[in-house]
Amino acid sequence: MAVTVRGGAAESDDVGLALYQALRDQGSCPPATAAARLGLTATEAAVGWAELRELGLIRAGRSPEEVDPVDPDTALISLLDRQRAALQAQREELTAIVRASESLMERYRPAVQRDAAKVEVEIITGDGRKRQMVGDYYATLTTRSRSMHPGPLPPAEVLAESLQGDADMVKRGIRVQAIYTQGINSAPRQRKYLSELASAGVEVRLAPQVPLDLSIGDMHTAMLAANPDNPSEAALLVRGTALVRTYSALYEDCWLRSVPYSTKVADRFDSASELTEQHRTAMRLLANGLTDERIARKLGISLRTVSRLVSEVMRYLQAESRFQAGVLAVTHGFI
């Protein structure tokens, strides 16, 4: 059978039909043999074979390298069966999507909206009731506890109870964070408490100012004083992610503005004689934001000496930056 050639290439509409008729006339044969008998190049024949495979008009022959023709009626039935199976799969997928959408819209979305809108505020009065509330509050935490304390510190027995509670949470795998004002680190008893907190695994930081007394449990509960000017009065217990998220954002801002508490620096506080008056003066100028050049001019020393003094101060204070060194120097009363 001759295949029409136009412009040096076989017409694609004729190639598939020609190959199919050749197979029906000659029976099973390798595709290359059928193409050669029709005078087709491999590129020209590839178009025809792709059409026959897509229509289901050929199948594997008696040997792997041969192909057989398939009756058009049989190919049509197979094509309709494949289409029916594809439509059934699409219908099942669409049904599953509709069910999932209904569940999301009718069950889960309203539940989330209710949770976000639901805010409970409870006023707690009386020392006994507040102590019970604190115990219940810490017992419900599972992942994280964050607190900030503007001071002053409570009595020793309250501190001991709080320290034990924080240590227990750390043992339970809860991340415990606490922010205190720099002024709290000015007395031996207070420094001892901060060191014990840090030794228990609490992440302690110091900030120049702490806005209020606040504790945040996970992301669902917050405790704070009803009257910030007198924390010993009634306490507020707030439940609900909508409002707790706001307190959490406030806390994170304070956390980023604070510096880590260093027990090594605290332990050396009483031996500050290791720092010379020149070190202290350099720290004071550093804390005031002066550049090395200005410090050198004020002290009448070289830039190399200023660099050495600053490095020694940073090493002494365990500071990771000049800014942190200045903050720690103020915090620990070195300047």
Side-chain angles (χ1 to χ4, degrees), residues 11-216:
E11 289 288 333
S12 60
D13 292 343
D14 297 332
V15 172
L17 178 59
L19 289 171
Y20 180 69
Q21 289 177 335
L23 287 177
R24 290 187 64 85
D25 293 340
Q26 302 166 16
S28 298
C29 69
T33 301
R37 287 174 181 172
L38 295 174
L40 297 171
T41 66
T43 303
E44 292 170 340
V47 177
W49 292 124
E51 180 185 11
L52 295 179
R53 281 193 294 270
E54 183 180 356
L55 295 176
L57 287 171
I58 55 174
R59 63 189 170 201
R62 289 167 299 190
S63 62
E65 65 273 8
E66 294 183 343
V67 292
D68 278 345
V70 176
D71 188 80
D73 290 339
T74 302
L76 179 59
I77 292 173
S78 298
L79 179 63
L80 293 176
D81 286 342
R82 292 199 305 272
Q83 184 64 26
R84 189 179 300 109
L87 291 174
Q88 178 64 27
Q90 290 177 356
R91 184 163 51 249
E92 292 175 355
E93 183 180 3
L94 179 59
T95 300
I97 292 174
V98 170
R99 289 176 179 170
S101 299
E102 291 174 348
S103 182
L104 289 171
M105 295 299 295
E106 297 176 6
R107 295 176 57 215
Y108 288 92
R109 188 168 181 267
V112 170
Q113 289 176 333
R114 286 195 301 270
D115 289 344
K118 185 178 180 181
V119 175
E120 298 179 359
V121 179
E122 184 179 357
I123 300 178
I124 311 296
T125 58
D127 292 341
R129 179 71 183 92
K130 285 195 289 185
R131 190 174 298 108
Q132 179 184 355
M133 176 199 69
V134 171
D136 295 341
Y137 163 80
Y138 285 123
T140 62
L141 302 187
T142 58
T143 60
R144 193 176 183 188
S145 171
R146 291 171 289 175
S147 63
M148 62 170 64
H149 311 279
L153 292 180
E157 60 272 14
V158 177
L159 285 180
E161 186 176 345
S162 176
L163 175 62
Q164 185 60 51
D166 288 338
D168 290 342
M169 284 193 292
V170 172
K171 291 179 181 178
R172 285 160 46 198
I174 296 173
R175 182 184 180 187
V176 183
Q177 299 170 272
I179 305 175
Y180 291 88
T181 57
Q182 295 170 350
I184 288 181
N185 194 39
S186 60
R189 182 179 76 92
Q190 296 165 333
R191 290 198 300 276
K192 180 176 181 294
Y193 173 69
L194 295 179
S195 297
E196 290 174 342
L197 270 182
S199 299
V202 177
E203 298 176 41
V204 181
R205 287 198 173 193
L206 301 177
Q209 291 182 333
V210 176
L212 75 163
D213 207 312
L214 172 68
S215 294
I216 304 174

